[in-house]
Amino acid sequence: MGFVSSLLGTFGFGIGVSAGVVIGYYLFIYFHSTDVKDPKIRPLVELDSLTLERMLPEIPLWVKNPDFDRVDWLNKFLENMWPYLDKAICKTAKEIAKPIIAENTAKYKIDSVEFQTLTLGSLPPTFQGIKVYITDEKELIMEPVLKWAGNPNITVVVKAFGLKASAQVIDLQVFAIPRITLRPLVPSFPCFAKIYVSLMEKPHVDFGLRLLGADLMSIPGIYSIVQDIIKNQVASMYLWPKTLEVPIMDLSSAMKKPVGILHVKVVRAFKLKKKDLLGKSDPYVKLKLTEEKLPSKKTKVKYSNLNPEWNEDFRLVVKDPNSQALELIVYDWEKVGKHDKIGMQVIPLKELTPDEPKTLTLELVKSMDLAETDEKSRGQIVLELVYSPFKEDTLPNEAVDDTGVDKAPEGTPAGGGLLVVSIHEAEDLEGKHHTNPYARIIFKGEERKTKHIKKTRDPRWEEEFQFVCEEPPVNDKLQVEVHSRPSSIGIHSKETLGYVVINLADVITNKRINEKYNLIDSKNGRIQIELQWRPS
């Protein structure tokens, strides 16, 4: 009986399972919806940004935001340089932390705080994209998107009251969008004086913290508290518009601010070389400091005179007396055509004793190139020179108001000042027959010109001009004209590409204006002009 019962039980189990599978399959087929439609397939380009983010949460910003550029080359650079950057960053971090630790150990009566291990691990950060801003100021602004899921090993050992404890930071994750500003841009390597860093939003920081062998971040409630503390603390210090300022180089040396005034008196010349075929010469003198973009200063023309006497005074702003020199050239004025050069001479400023008047009688030469020697005499010129360096308490570098504008150099008329005009660039210029633009600045009858640039609608001059004023030009106007010069002699003449007239009252009030002006009589042309008023 027992055998028969077992056999029947096994047989019944097999029949029951088989019947259950058949019935279940039938019910599945019977109750399954018969109106199933094929899935709708759409190209990714037709999806909105929110749908894309739900589908691809880790999609880089350069894909979903056209303002961000791809920087795979930078990530590749970091990947190869990371072992070296790791050591350099950790070494710098130790040097920065050393005085801070020393100050706090004495304050809280701690015996010592030391780094037992300090490494950022083998995984470098990655940049998901970068946005670059273009402004009218002398600066470069970047916003990189930084993500770092690193494996650092940072262990700090604290000794106090005879006890020893260690804390270890592991599994670090950082997501941040910093704004990095390089300002101001200067003509000396590395071409910027300071770095300003700020955060555009609160950063996300996640890490593990082992204390006495246990991970504190795994304790309920501790993780969210630490997250809030870190975000709020970092945000209070560096969230935009607050910034971290990192000086790179001395701004005064980078910009070569004025350090003194060179007083030049062109007294006379004698026995000048005759240049005119049917007469004598009509001499005048042009003088300027080397390494300076400002236009040359000129004496009056002395007509039909080989022994002219000028007795004219000039003041030149000195920025580097060790490398600069006074360059003077005597020309023969011509009514038509190019003015002929009679002779020239150069006086290095380092040969002048500060505050000591010096009278020089110099032999004029054809050029400073020793290979171009000329045995014929070109005449002599007499100069009176005094180099007056600024005193320590009157250096313009230290006389800066809250707008960042320097005071006028010593020797500027009392109650007056210095009007500085910087012609930066223009855009969308268009001539009828040619576009070889240059700018012409007119102020109180004085005229200055930039260099002319060939065949461009978007010239970049970056030239500075200075005008000494007896009083603030509150009621005066500055006119800037843009002209085009023909490339060669032909049927076409000079063309006017537009002009702008600027009232100087706002410049005197605000001390500094940097704007792009729409050119009058131009279809789309604009010009960027920076004006500074430096009171005496």
Side-chain angles (χ1 to χ4, degrees):
M1 288 295 292
F3 174 75
V4 174
S5 300
S6 300
L7 183 62
L8 292 174
T10 303
F11 181 73
F13 175 77
I15 293 175
V17 171
S18 300
V21 171
V22 172
I23 294 172
Y25 179 74
Y26 173 76
L27 292 175
F28 174 77
I29 297 298
Y30 180 78
F31 289 106
H32 192 272
S33 178
T34 58
D35 57 347
V36 177
K37 297 180 180 179
D38 294 333
K40 187 176 181 180
I41 301 175
R42 295 173 58 192
L44 290 178
V45 71
E46 296 181 2
L47 301 179
D48 57 62
S49 59
L50 294 178
T51 306
L52 281 174
E53 288 185 23
R54 286 195 297 267
M55 294 175 58
L56 305 168
E58 295 300 321
I59 188 170
L61 271 177
W62 61 265
V63 174
K64 57 187 178 183
N65 192 328
D67 292 336
F68 283 83
D69 296 321
R70 194 173 177 178
V71 283
D72 290 344
W73 64 270
L74 182 56
N75 293 323
K76 192 66 177 179
F77 171 82
L78 283 175
E79 182 181 351
N80 293 321
M81 289 293 294
W82 185 244
Y84 308 97
L85 290 172
D86 177 21
K87 295 179 181 179
I89 293 173
C90 291
K91 181 180 179 181
T92 304
K94 285 183 178 180
E95 294 174 354
I96 294 175
K98 190 174 181 179
I100 299 175
I101 292 174
E103 180 182 352
N104 286 277
T105 50
K107 182 178 180 181
Y108 295 103
K109 298 180 180 180
I110 299 174
D111 295 336
S112 66
V113 177
E114 298 178 353
F115 287 100
Q116 184 176 351
T117 58
L118 178 57
T119 175
L120 299 180
S122 59
L123 301 176
T126 59
F127 290 93
Q128 301 291 302
I130 188 171
K131 181 191 294 185
V132 179
Y133 291 91
I134 299 176
T135 70
D136 292 338
E137 301 296 331
K138 296 178 180 178
E139 63 184 6
L140 177 63
I141 302 176
M142 301 174 289
E143 285 184 10
V145 182
L146 174 68
K147 284 189 177 182
W148 185 27
N151 55 347
N153 185 5
I154 305 172
T155 305
V156 180
V157 178
V158 182
K159 297 179 181 179
F161 308 106
L163 301 176
K164 178 180 177 181
S166 63
Q168 184 182 19
V169 177
I170 57 173
D171 299 332
L172 179 65
Q173 294 185 18
V174 178
F175 175 71
I177 304 180
R179 170 172 287 185
I180 302 172
T181 304
L182 310 180
R183 184 179 70 232
L185 302 180
V186 296
S188 301
F189 191 80
C191 300
F192 55 89
K194 293 182 181 180
I195 300 177
Y196 298 87
V197 181
S198 58
L199 296 171
M200 302 312 296
E201 58 185 42
K202 290 184 178 181
H204 172 76
V205 181
D206 189 6
F207 60 92
L209 180 61
R210 289 180 182 173
L211 185 63
L212 302 176
D215 189 356
L216 292 183
M217 296 295 102
S218 62
I219 300 176
I222 293 294
Y223 176 79
S224 59
I225 294 174
V226 172
Q227 282 285 318
D228 291 339
I229 292 175
I230 292 175
K231 287 183 179 181
N232 294 331
Q233 185 66 25
V234 174
S236 65
M237 298 170 61
Y238 305 122
L239 192 64
W240 192 86
K242 297 180 180 178
T243 59
L244 169 65
E245 181 179 325
V246 182
I248 300 299
M249 61 192 305
D250 183 12
L251 184 59
S252 60
S253 61
M255 298 297 292
K256 287 193 175 182
K257 299 293 183 67
V259 296
I261 295 289
L262 178 65
H263 300 269
V264 182
K265 184 175 184 179
V266 182
V267 183
R268 67 177 67 88
F270 48 90
K271 297 181 180 179
L272 294 179
K273 186 177 180 179
K274 179 181 177 182
K275 302 296 289 185
D276 295 340
L277 296 176
L278 302 177
K280 298 181 180 180
S281 291
D282 306 318
Y284 70 94
V285 183
K286 292 177 67 174
L287 59 157
K288 64 174 294 185
L289 288 176
T290 57
E291 301 180 14
E292 189 63 75
K293 293 183 178 180
L294 297 177
S296 301
K297 297 182 180 292
K298 299 179 184 179
T299 65
K300 296 179 180 178
V301 179
K302 299 295 182 179
Y303 298 99
S304 300
N305 196 337
L306 297 179
N307 298 284
E309 189 167 330
W310 289 285
N311 289 315
E312 294 186 33
D313 295 304
F314 301 92
R315 291 193 300 267
L316 305 175
V317 178
V318 179
K319 295 182 178 179
D320 189 352
N322 294 320
S323 63
Q324 286 186 291
L326 174 65
E327 178 185 275
L328 56 92
I329 305 176
V330 181
Y331 285 96
D332 175 30
W333 179 85
E334 298 290 345
K335 188 173 183 179
V336 179
K338 185 178 179 181
H339 300 181
D340 294 327
K341 184 169 75 172
I342 297 176
M344 67 172 299
Q345 194 53 263
V346 174
I347 305 100
L349 299 188
K350 61 183 179 182
E351 297 180 359
L352 302 178
T353 303
D355 296 320
E356 182 179 305
K358 193 170 186 178
T359 302
L360 300 176
T361 301
L362 304 173
E363 194 76 29
L364 296 175
V365 296
K366 181 179 181 180
S367 97
M368 300 309 297
D369 188 353
L370 297 179
E372 296 186 15
T373 56
D374 187 2
E375 296 181 356
K376 296 182 180 180
S377 175
R378 294 178 172 271
Q380 295 176 314
I381 189 168
V382 180
L383 303 173
E384 293 180 3
L385 305 176
V386 181
Y387 169 54
S388 302
F390 297 136
K391 303 298 184 292
E392 290 296 328
D393 56 347
T394 59
L395 279 175
N397 298 338
E398 301 174 2
V400 180
D401 61 17
D402 56 359
T403 62
V405 176
D406 297 335
K407 295 291 184 181
E410 186 179 339
T412 305
L418 197 67
L419 177 65
V420 181
V421 182
S422 299
I423 308 296
H424 291 299
E425 61 183 353
E427 56 187 33
D428 293 332
L429 302 178
E430 186 175 0
K432 187 176 181 181
H433 301 290
H434 48 76
T435 308
N436 307 306
Y438 68 92
R440 178 170 173 255
I441 302 95
I442 304 171
F443 175 67
K444 285 190 172 181
E446 291 188 58
E447 179 183 318
R448 308 284 174 81
K449 294 180 181 180
T450 67
K451 60 180 179 292
H452 93 280
I453 303 177
K454 295 182 179 180
K455 298 180 180 180
T456 178
R457 296 183 58 187
D458 303 305
R460 190 177 185 89
W461 293 291
E462 297 296 348
E463 294 190 38
E464 180 182 294
F465 305 91
Q466 297 180 355
F467 299 90
V468 178
C469 302
E470 299 290 338
E471 59 183 15
V474 179
N475 300 317
D476 293 307
K477 296 181 179 180
L478 178 80
Q479 182 164 325
V480 179
E481 303 172 353
V482 181
H483 298 276
S484 176
R485 181 187 303 172
S487 301
S488 58
I489 299 176
I491 60 173
H492 302 302
S493 59
K494 181 178 72 173
E495 294 184 19
T496 300
L497 306 182
Y499 70 95
V500 62
V501 178
I502 305 172
N503 293 316
L504 298 178
D506 289 342
V507 182
I508 307 305
T509 303
N510 300 317
K511 298 294 193 300
R512 177 178 178 270
I513 290 179
N514 185 11
E515 293 184 4
K516 283 187 176 179
Y517 298 90
N518 293 316
L519 290 169
I520 301 172
D521 290 343
S522 175
K523 186 176 181 181
N524 298 307
R526 297 200 302 167
I527 185 169
Q528 182 185 347
I529 303 173
E530 180 181 351
L531 302 173
Q532 291 186 27
W533 170 246
R534 301 176 182 175
S536 58

